Amino acid sequence: RSCILVSIGGKNIMLDCGMHMGYNDDRRFPDFSYITQNGRLTDFLDCVIISHFHLDHCGALPFMSEMVGYDGPIYMTHPTKAICPILLEDFRKITVDKKGETNFFTSQMIKDCMKKVVPLNLHQTVQVDDELEIKAYYAGHVLGAAMVHIKVGSESVVYTGDYNMTPDRHLGAAWIDKCRPDILISESTYATTIRDSKRCRERDFLKKVHESIERGGKVLIPVFALGRAQELCILLETFWERMNLKAPIYFSTGLTEKANHYYKLFITWTNQKIRKTFVQRNMFEFKHIKAFDRSYADNPGPMVVFATPGMLHAGQSLQIFKKWAGNEKNMVIMPGYCVQGTIGHKILNGQRKLEMEGRSTLDVKLQVEYMSFSAHADAKGIMQLIRMAEPRNMLLVHGEAVKMEFLKGKIEQEFSIDCYMPANGETVTVTTNPSVPVDISLNLLKREMALGGPLPDPKKPRTMHGTLIMKENSLKLVSSEQALKELGLNEHQLRFTCRVQLQDPHSDTDTLHRIYTHLKSVLKGYTIQHLPDGTVMVESIVIKVSSSTEDPNTKVLLLSWSYQDEDLGSFLSTLLKKGLPSGLC
Amino acid sequence: MKLYCLSGHPTLPCNVLKFKSTTIMLDCGLDTTSVLNFLPLPLVHSPRLSKLPGWVSKDGTLNLEKELKECAGRVFVDSQPEFCLPEKELLDLSTIDVILISNYHCMMALPYITEHTGFTGTVYATEPTLQIGRLLMEELVNFMERVPKAQSATCWKNKEIQRMLPGPLKDAVDVWTWKRSYSMQEVNSALSKVQLVGYSQKVELFGAVQVSPLSSGYSLGSSNWIIQSHHEKVSYVSGSSLLTTHPQPMDQSSLKNSDVLILTGLTQMPTANPDGMLGEFCSNLAMTIRAGGNVLVPCYSSGVIYDLLECLYQFIESANLGTTPFYFISPVANSSLEFSQIFAEWLCHNKQSKVYLPEPPFPHAELIQTNKLKHYPSIHGDFSSEFRQPCVVFTGHPSLRFGDVVHFMELWGKSSLNTIIFTEPDFSYLDALAPYQPLAMKCVYCPIDTRLNFHQVSKLLKEVQPLHVVCPEQYTQPPLTQSHRSDLMLELQPPPMPYRRCSVLNLPFRRRYERVYIMPELANSLVPSEIKPGISLATVSAVLHSKDNKHTLQSVPKPPPVPPSKKRKRVIEEPPVVLAPKPLLSGAVPLEAFLATLQKHGITEVKVEETADGHILHLQAEDTLIQLEEDGTHIVCDNNEPLRTTLRDLVLRFLQKL
């Protein structure tokens, strides 16, 4: 399950609010006391973002908002907002009405919780407050699944939720732009798997179903009502059509029709092909798939039944499983991942005797098959996403530690970025190094760009000088002259004058010329002028010559410079004190 | 910053904005009113139209009877209808970087701009705008191509000849640039250049400018656009509505703080109240049906028709019209109805919550399911066998010059039992009807234009407070027919800047600042000092890097150590490498404090002399002069470099550097 708290730029954001399917007690919900011991969560959280409608991502939401107490905004996409309350209610019914548990949220709480939801559109930049902005990207895991980019100032985080990098029969592939987040938080359910091609898996699946039907067996496919179910329905529907098969296919619970209706209305969230052809033929109107009734389970002859929930932990799928488990002709196909502790997980691990409630045991004789159809990114997909987003740090969640460790090594090696993998309840701190945005006066910028030329010269970087004015919250970078003017300050001129005596038996004019020539040869790259009024100017340093009254051969040089030319002025006075080289003409 | 205005039609705009080295086209409207000068294109042979007399000038000198036909005193061109394109000569269209589309009605000229002009840029539009825009283009092409006309009239366009023609042909502008419809291939090519955007999505253009669409409340996916840099903001407001119909409500607050607001697409019917018109529409429709007549509604295949159908859905039972067939005939009728149901994200809140149930957001799904509303691609095929009268027919094109509507005009025009109800505001209904005169059928004019009226827009502008407003010149004076209605124009302070076709406006903008980013290393090295309460200064010396219009300041790299060489001996003669020039100085040096400081540094023999502007300090032991003035200090010191630098540093203690 997922429930992550991110603190970024002084904002606290909860990413997903999932529930653990393997537990039946308090441990199934996240430990919110971690955020605050007493008081409502509203004061501590700026927003909650739900990535998709699976219960391991949103199952604890009503518990958090209504029972612990949170009134701030909850963001999710339109399809998630539509489907999530149905799954929550479904789940509530199983737990409370069937199992008779207490201390659980009510129908009304689900409704109240959904009132706090703000729908999110793909690529829309939502300003949560003045500083915090979020943006959703297509994730392709289930209908309406999204990844989110969270930004505060120049710091940002991307949270993937669950995602899929290869388009399937009804959804497209996840996509994100080169947003270069400080941290990319990625799921890693299939951290070490590189799955064989989709087509092979589909062929395998169809072959197994077909064989079982041929020998008169019953096939149970435990699924969640929305998501993989629709993909497998499309697959079987086309196969039945092509092979002209007669064995009935059923879909349990009344949710099917409703679910398919959601797909029709949210067709813009499906893949390109379905979107293009939906006016002519809607892929979600099935001819061969009919609604299931509890009594059908005892009918003789082969059949295929899709039943919820997907991990065989409760409900109709579990009931049918119990009925069919004793016959080796039958088969159960687990099309997705099963959480530890569920019956699904146990039988996939080869357990053949199950302890049921009330101390009875169940012998599992039917064939158990696992087909990875759940749409998570595999190792290749995760690497692909890193390449897309170019994060500075990587954080892996929602996976098994050993596998994550392997992937972490690979990521660090290939992208040379830091990769973290915190356990539940653990905190990771990532230090960012944000740059400071400043307003530069256009005059200064243009002057600098004109001087710098069109292409930067790496060997001779030009240095720009200016004054940064910090006033209230604004940062303005202007030229020093403009800064003086804007702040109403007077300039203070600091000047230095220095007399240097020189032995040079020439006329004053000649001496001046000799100085000029000498400086020309020493100071390369400076502007040196011999002015008609009898001065030499080096940049803005003035040099004058006069003869000493006592000795016409002793010349007195007068150097005058301003503080801004201090380095050069000081250099010149030292240089000229040493006299002029004799070789000068 | 400049604005080039390529269209004179205020609701079908086409402007080009040059802003910070980007060239942005705002909308790509196609002025279709030109088709009113042409004869209708009948779907089946019409003896009446083919028998119309050719036109010969009164004195008989000008004979254009092959090209021009006369009907009820008006002259029409007998040729495939042509459209008035946006101006192509005002600037080089191949230099356009991006085109921003505000709604599907304002993109109909897109193929003319993106094809055959050398355009290589990107078009930005929302998904509903693209999909429904495609349908409308497809429909237009279909209307034209299924009744090809061999003849193409050109003689009448000759300037000398056009001058002699009767009005309104005589006064038509730029007729030689009018073009026939594009092909489906051109439509596909043009639309392949569209990149989809969502509301409030921020799109960076070359790092210099950010554009972002906002909901405008007018139609599915319709948007206004914000075009901004860090310090300048232009809002482009096109077809917007504050009425609650099916689209998402208008986002007004994001338009605040604009330097310039370009305002187009106000209502074309400022005096007609849409709600009242809807009521009139229903009552006229019911009256005609009860009397045994048929109702013809010429309309576009998307937009107001959804609202009409929704209104009828509620009205049908109460008006006892449960058995009357409603037909929607268009090559894209089915697609339009289907597409309207899948854009939940773009709908008003009410409709969105229906999708959560899940139910289709528009009730026309139920009308179709119960067989009350039937849709057909054209009058040919299934329709001809299933057609029952009296009935209501929705069909295009609202100009009555092409499309299936032409057939119904010929079929029903002669009976006074039938009624034609105009709901689209784009064409004058009298002009539209002209080639069908004399007509017995009843005509009802209920134009429904949900776009902003003058009252709403002045309230909006008061709220968002743009510094300058630019708008078509039509909005700066009352309409010609109602010249006394001074409330039907924009009155603003400062007055709006009007534009017309071919105007080039210089927008009043003074850009003064630009955004740079100081890299963390440099930021850490800055030493701010407080110069006034709340104001701090820091001198910055840095290397400027500009890439993709993004500027960053980095620390000046340390010079590489001088490699040991022969020159080493003469190192004193190496001129100094100026890394950081000295900052400017500010403030004054107070005499008493300065003397005290000198004393601390062992300089005790100081003779102070008062002058007009300050003091002269004579350091007698060191034979050095210091001239202290309000805005300057002058140190005269010979042959004693250590002393000079000490004095310099002492003076600097009293001054602020910047």
Side-chain angles (χ1 to χ4, degrees):
Chain A
R1 71 143 173 248
S2 290
C3 186
I4 300 168
L5 190 70
V6 169
S7 298
I8 170 174
K11 304 282 170 185
N12 295 318
I13 300 123
M14 183 181 284
L15 300 171
D16 279 338
C17 192
M19 178 188 64
H20 201 293
M21 303 283 195
Y23 294 122
N24 282 328
D25 50 26
D26 282 348
R27 285 176 296 173
R28 79 176 133 219
F29 293 130
D31 183 8
F32 294 107
S33 65
Y34 183 80
I35 303 173
T36 165
Q37 294 291 338
N38 38 30
R40 295 172 73 78
L41 294 170
T42 318
D43 306 333
F44 297 88
L45 289 178
D46 291 283
C47 73
V48 175
I49 303 171
I50 303 294
S51 65
H52 64 280
F53 59 63
H54 279 157
L55 292 179
D56 57 336
H57 290 259
C58 69
L61 195 59
F63 175 78
M64 183 205 80
S65 76
E66 305 312 309
M67 297 172 79
V68 181
Y70 170 74
D71 299 317
I74 302 169
Y75 292 94
M76 53 177 86
T77 66
H78 283 275
T80 308
K81 183 181 174 186
I83 295 165
C84 160
I86 296 171
L87 296 187
L88 285 171
E89 176 60 27
D90 219 45
F91 176 66
R92 192 198 64 80
K93 267 192 208 144
I94 291 174
T95 352
V96 179
D97 299 355
K98 293 227 173 100
K99 291 197 197 155
E101 284 185 38
T102 49
N103 190 21
F104 207 75
F105 48 79
T106 63
S107 287
Q108 190 55 42
M109 284 178 181
I110 298 176
K111 279 181 195 147
D112 291 341
C113 166
M114 294 317 287
K115 279 182 197 145
K116 296 170 185 170
V117 171
V118 183
L120 202 57
N121 295 335
L122 282 186
H123 301 169
Q124 173 192 21
T125 312
V126 174
Q127 214 71 48
V128 177
D129 57 36
D130 286 346
E131 289 152 341
L132 173 62
E133 67 178 45
I134 57 178
K135 180 178 179 183
Y137 292 91
Y138 191 79
H141 171 62
V142 287
L143 193 75
M147 310 192 273
V148 275
H149 182 228
I150 301 148
K151 195 174 158 205
V152 181
S154 49
E155 294 173 291
S156 63
V157 172
V158 167
Y159 172 61
T160 64
D162 291 352
Y163 63 106
N164 184 16
M165 296 299 286
T166 39
D168 61 28
R169 277 177 189 264
H170 74 298
L171 296 172
W175 178 86
I176 196 162
D177 52 23
K178 200 162 283 191
C179 51
R180 297 195 178 94
D182 291 304
I183 310 170
L184 175 66
I185 305 176
S186 170
E187 63 133 337
S188 48
T189 316
Y190 290 125
T192 50
T193 331
I194 291 183
R195 286 176 298 171
D196 42 3
S197 90
K198 190 95 195 171
R199 206 163 282 264
C200 288
R201 259 178 293 147
E202 289 179 359
R203 209 170 34 224
D204 256 26
F205 170 77
L206 292 171
K207 206 173 117 202
K208 278 180 185 150
V209 172
H210 195 194
E211 281 170 4
S212 190
I213 296 291
E214 288 284 273
R215 62 170 182 258
K218 297 178 167 62
V219 181
L220 171 66
I221 309 173
V223 287
F224 288 101
L226 289 121
R228 251 1 67 195
Q230 274 67 27
E231 184 181 8
L232 295 178
C233 283
I234 295 174
L235 195 63
L236 283 188
E237 168 93 6
T238 37
F239 187 69
W240 250 238
E241 186 108 9
R242 199 173 72 223
M243 305 293 285
N244 201 15
L245 295 179
K246 292 285 176 282
I249 308 176
Y250 297 113
F251 202 121
S252 78
T253 75
L255 208 54
T256 342
E257 210 177 329
K258 218 170 169 186
N260 291 339
H261 214 105
Y262 279 116
Y263 277 83
K264 283 188 231 167
L265 293 173
F266 287 113
I267 212 111
T268 50
W269 287 80
T270 58
N271 69 25
Q272 196 92 28
K273 194 179 150 209
I274 293 183
R275 259 162 37 199
K276 258 198 171 142
T277 54
F278 90 101
V279 176
Q280 288 79 40
R281 161 153 170 58
N282 200 316
M283 288 293 271
F284 298 104
E285 277 162 19
F286 301 115
K287 264 187 270 167
H288 296 275
I289 301 168
K290 296 175 191 75
F292 182 74
D293 185 279
R294 192 180 300 207
S295 62
Y296 295 175
D298 298 322
N299 284 2
M303 66 173 83
V304 179
V305 175
F306 288 97
T308 54
M311 299 185 195
L312 284 180
H313 53 275
Q316 199 153 30
S317 62
L318 185 58
Q319 285 173 14
I320 300 173
F321 176 78
K322 283 187 201 161
K323 262 193 188 140
W324 292 359
N327 190 338
E328 59 277 344
K329 268 202 293 186
N330 296 342
M331 182 190 288
V332 58
I333 301 181
M334 306 297 298
Y337 177 80
C338 290
V339 168
Q340 243 172 17
T342 59
I343 290 183
H345 188 84
K346 286 175 190 158
I347 59 168
L348 279 182
N349 281 351
Q351 213 170 314
R352 283 304 186 178
K353 272 200 193 312
L354 298 172
E355 285 170 35
M356 306 309 281
E357 281 156 53
R359 289 196 190 156
S360 62
T361 56
L362 181 70
D363 285 321
V364 181
K365 288 188 181 148
L366 50 45
Q367 289 186 57
V368 178
E369 294 287 346
Y370 172 69
M371 295 250 127
S372 150
F373 269 100
S374 63
H376 292 276
D378 59 3
K380 222 165 92 193
I382 295 172
M383 302 299 260
Q384 205 179 335
L385 188 81
I386 299 176
R387 232 164 276 137
M388 268 182 174
E390 291 190 359
R392 293 189 186 90
N393 295 280
M394 188 72 196
L395 201 148
L396 296 176
V397 295
H398 205 277
E400 288 163 36
V402 190
K403 296 178 179 175
M404 280 156 80
E405 193 67 56
F406 175 79
L407 183 66
K408 171 177 144 84
K410 247 187 107 177
I411 291 171
E412 286 176 340
Q413 184 193 347
E414 189 167 338
F415 299 101
S416 43
I417 54 175
D418 286 336
C419 185
Y420 306 85
M421 33 174 290
N424 271 355
E426 195 182 320
T427 305
V428 171
T429 311
V430 178
T431 325
T432 58
N433 221 351
S435 56
V436 183
V438 158
D439 295 337
I440 186 172
S441 113
L442 211 56
N443 291 337
L444 182 63
L445 182 69
K446 281 193 172 161
R447 194 173 75 193
E448 205 54 38
M449 290 186 36
L451 285 173
L455 288 168
D457 182 353
K459 283 186 198 145
K460 244 176 89 183
R462 262 200 59 81
T463 314
M464 185 182 99
H465 304 282
T467 301
L468 189 65
I469 307 179
M470 287 163 257
K471 194 169 154 187
E472 284 153 12
N473 284 326
S474 84
L475 291 172
K476 282 198 287 186
L477 184 61
V478 298
S479 63
S480 305
E481 293 84 359
Q482 195 183 335
L484 277 180
K485 212 189 282 172
E486 262 182 42
L487 297 173
L489 298 173
N490 66 319
E491 190 188 344
H492 190 96
Q493 293 272 356
L494 177 59
R495 284 198 74 80
F496 303 97
T497 300
C498 193
R499 268 172 299 190
V500 176
Q501 293 203 341
L502 203 64
Q503 291 299 320
D504 199 39
H506 292 276
S507 73
D508 289 1
T509 2
D510 282 356
T511 304
L512 192 69
H513 188 73
R514 283 160 57 78
I515 290 170
Y516 173 68
T517 325
H518 178 50
L519 293 181
K520 263 286 207 209
S521 71
V522 174
L523 298 172
K524 301 271 193 258
Y526 286 83
T527 15
I528 305 171
Q529 294 162 289
H530 188 172
L531 298 174
D533 65 346
T535 55
V536 164
M537 277 192 75
V538 181
E539 302 288 325
S540 67
I541 299 169
V542 183
I543 304 171
K544 279 186 187 159
V545 176
S546 58
S547 302
S548 151
T549 40
E550 298 105 53
D551 177 9
N553 284 346
T554 305
K555 305 290 177 194
V556 179
L557 306 187
L558 201 70
L559 272 80
S560 178
W561 68 89
S562 72
Y563 173 65
Q564 280 69 33
D565 278 320
E566 166 72 5
D567 292 339
L568 189 59
S570 158
F571 170 77
L572 280 182
S573 66
T574 325
L575 178 76
L576 291 173
K577 247 175 247 171
K578 282 187 284 181
L580 297 174
S582 49
L584 282 173
C585 53
Chain B
M1 182 179 319
K2 276 188 173 175
L3 187 73
Y4 298 77
C5 310
L6 311 188
S7 160
H9 197 300
T11 32
L12 297 167
C14 183
N15 295 314
V16 175
L17 179 71
K18 288 208 175 191
F19 179 37
K20 275 189 81 178
S21 74
T22 56
T23 306
I24 303 171
M25 179 177 268
L26 305 170
D27 274 335
C28 212
L30 183 64
D31 188 348
T32 47
T33 49
S34 57
V35 301
L36 292 175
N37 296 296
F38 292 78
L39 268 194
L41 284 180
L43 276 175
V44 286
H45 178 74
S46 155
R48 183 187 73 86
L49 285 173
S50 57
K51 273 189 220 140
L52 288 177
W55 180 82
V56 182
S57 67
K58 277 197 189 104
D59 54 4
T61 52
L62 203 56
N63 186 337
L64 286 175
E65 56 183 3
K66 283 237 171 67
E67 291 199 349
L68 304 179
K69 305 282 177 190
E70 222 172 331
C71 177
R74 296 247 319 233
V75 178
F76 298 92
V77 182
D78 186 11
S79 175
Q80 183 152 350
E82 294 178 340
F83 307 110
C84 180
L85 270 50
E87 184 60 45
K88 283 186 163 183
E89 305 299 318
L90 201 59
L91 84 163
D92 181 1
L93 295 179
S94 70
T95 61
I96 289 172
D97 298 313
V98 293
I99 302 180
L100 309 180
I101 302 294
S102 58
N103 62 67
Y104 46 76
H105 286 300
C106 291
M107 65 186 286
M108 298 299 279
L110 203 57
Y112 294 117
I113 303 290
T114 60
E115 309 305 300
H116 319 301
T117 60
F119 172 80
T120 56
T122 311
V123 183
Y124 288 99
T126 61
E127 184 164 11
T129 301
L130 170 68
Q131 301 298 2
I132 296 173
R134 181 193 296 278
L135 294 182
L136 293 183
M137 288 181 180
E138 214 177 292
E139 183 185 49
L140 190 70
V141 172
N142 191 296
F143 280 161
M144 295 295 181
E145 286 184 351
R146 72 185 177 189
V147 278
K149 207 152 184 152
Q151 157 168 300
S152 172
T154 50
C155 290
W156 70 277
K157 291 187 180 179
N158 184 307
K159 256 187 200 161
E160 290 306 308
I161 296 175
Q162 195 201 355
R163 205 162 46 84
M164 323 256 294
L165 300 178
L169 267 186
K170 187 172 72 175
D171 308 314
V173 289
D174 293 352
V175 291
W176 58 93
T177 66
W178 289 9
K179 283 267 161 23
R180 288 167 158 232
S181 159
Y182 29 74
S183 68
M184 208 50 221
Q185 196 192 352
E186 286 166 314
V187 170
N188 287 330
S189 170
L191 296 184
S192 70
K193 291 161 184 146
V194 175
Q195 178 131 20
L196 296 181
V197 287
Y199 287 148
S200 307
Q201 182 177 344
K202 294 174 178 170
V203 181
E204 291 280 338
L205 303 183
F206 317 107
V209 179
Q210 193 183 62
V211 297
S212 181
L214 306 174
S215 175
S216 78
Y218 168 58
S219 62
L220 269 178
S222 70
S223 27
N224 293 321
W225 289 85
I226 301 287
I227 302 132
Q228 62 185 344
S229 63
H230 282 291
H231 295 97
E232 301 86 16
K233 177 170 173 180
V234 180
S235 297
Y236 173 57
V237 175
S238 172
S240 302
S241 176
L242 292 172
L243 294 180
T244 328
T245 57
H246 57 274
Q248 218 182 83
M250 178 181 180
D251 179 352
Q252 301 179 59
S253 56
S254 303
L255 298 171
K256 276 183 187 160
N257 303 320
S258 309
D259 297 286
V260 172
L261 186 142
I262 302 168
L263 180 69
T264 67
L266 299 184
T267 176
Q268 303 182 76
M269 296 296 144
T271 50
N273 170 1
D275 278 333
M277 288 296 139
L278 209 54
E280 221 166 288
F281 168 80
C282 286
S283 64
N284 277 294
L285 183 142
M287 223 148 61
T288 306
I289 296 291
R290 274 192 216 112
N294 299 295
V295 177
L296 179 60
V297 187
C299 62
Y300 292 114
S301 312
S302 179
V304 176
I305 183 162
Y306 303 142
D307 299 317
L308 291 180
L309 291 175
E310 180 152 10
C311 176
L312 287 173
Y313 169 79
Q314 292 153 2
F315 180 71
I316 284 174
E317 294 309 322
S318 65
N320 225 351
L321 297 174
T323 55
T324 312
F326 288 77
Y327 300 115
F328 177 18
I329 302 168
S330 156
V332 299
N334 186 24
S335 300
S336 166
L337 294 173
E338 288 285 340
F339 268 111
S340 67
Q341 306 286 21
I342 65 161
F343 291 125
E345 284 100 321
W346 309 88
L347 293 172
C348 64
H349 187 258
N350 249 341
K351 297 225 175 300
Q352 260 178 21
S353 39
K354 278 190 128 178
V355 177
Y356 296 151
L357 292 178
E359 273 172 28
F362 285 96
H364 54 239
E366 199 184 318
L367 288 177
I368 295 168
Q369 221 169 29
T370 53
N371 264 330
K372 287 182 177 126
L373 174 67
K374 293 184 176 182
H375 53 82
Y376 301 91
S378 88
I379 53 165
H380 300 300
D382 289 348
F383 176 70
S384 44
S385 54
E386 291 170 22
F387 171 54
R388 280 188 301 120
Q389 301 190 68
C391 63
V392 180
V393 171
F394 296 89
T395 188
H397 183 271
S399 67
L400 308 188
R401 290 306 180 269
F402 45 86
D404 300 274
V405 72
V406 176
H407 178 74
F408 289 99
M409 285 306 294
E410 297 290 334
L411 188 70
W412 291 342
K414 291 168 224 83
S415 164
S416 61
L417 277 179
N418 302 326
T419 307
I420 178 168
I421 310 181
F422 290 89
T423 54
E424 300 288 352
D426 284 359
F427 302 92
S428 137
Y429 80 104
L430 288 174
D431 289 342
L433 289 172
Y436 298 96
Q437 298 292 358
L439 209 57
M441 141 192 245
K442 267 195 302 262
C443 301
V444 178
Y445 189 48
C446 311
I448 297 171
D449 195 332
T450 56
R451 285 172 279 214
L452 296 176
N453 60 35
F454 286 100
H455 174 69
Q456 289 166 329
V457 84
S458 54
K459 208 173 136 199
L460 172 74
L461 290 176
K462 226 171 257 165
E463 226 148 83
V464 304
Q465 300 247 333
L467 290 182
H468 301 276
V469 174
V470 177
C471 70
E473 61 175 359
Q474 288 92 333
Y475 298 161
T476 58
Q477 62 222 17
L480 282 176
T481 48
Q482 289 153 301
S483 52
H484 61 287
R485 293 286 299 266
S486 61
D487 57 326
L488 299 184
M489 62 179 278
L490 272 184
E491 270 184 299
L492 296 172
Q493 227 27 265
M497 303 173 65
Y499 74 81
R500 59 170 73 172
R501 192 179 167 100
C502 288
S503 296
V504 179
L505 302 184
N506 271 312
L507 299 184
F509 247 102
R510 274 202 53 211
R511 292 183 48 220
R512 292 177 55 203
Y513 287 99
E514 178 64 271
R515 181 55 57 97
V516 290
Y517 292 90
I518 298 186
M519 296 313 281
E521 192 197 343
L522 176 64
N524 284 337
S525 71
L526 296 180
V527 189
S529 62
E530 191 165 54
I531 200 141
K532 286 181 182 177
I535 303 177
S536 297
L537 293 182
T539 51
V540 179
S541 292
V543 179
L544 175 72
H545 288 274
S546 298
K547 194 179 154 195
D548 299 336
N549 288 314
K550 288 259 182 286
H551 311 290
T552 51
L553 290 178
Q554 295 184 347
S555 311
V556 180
K558 294 211 172 68
V562 183
S565 68
K566 288 176 211 159
K567 278 191 174 177
R568 192 77 183 186
K569 288 172 221 155
R570 296 174 59 203
V571 75
I572 193 76
E573 301 216 341
E574 289 290 309
V577 183
V578 181
L579 283 179
K582 302 292 178 215
L584 291 184
L585 302 173
S586 174
V589 182
L591 180 67
E592 293 307 320
F594 185 60
L595 285 175
T597 315
L598 284 179
Q599 195 138 27
K600 253 190 225 158
H601 284 77
I603 302 167
T604 45
E605 275 180 75
V606 182
K607 204 178 108 195
V608 181
E609 186 184 320
E610 203 154 327
T611 65
D613 300 316
H615 300 88
I616 293 179
L617 276 58
H618 192 195
L619 281 52
Q620 286 170 324
E622 295 82 6
D623 189 24
T624 292
L625 286 177
I626 302 173
Q627 197 177 340
L628 287 182
E629 284 173 9
E630 181 66 21
D631 55 358
T633 301
H634 194 172
I635 299 174
V636 183
C637 172
D638 303 337
N639 275 328
N640 194 344
E641 187 66 9
L643 173 67
R644 190 186 66 79
T645 46
T646 311
L647 290 176
R648 177 195 68 197
D649 294 340
L650 293 182
V651 169
L652 287 178
R653 282 191 192 178
F654 295 95
L655 297 174
Q656 286 149 336
K657 295 171 196 166
L658 71 166

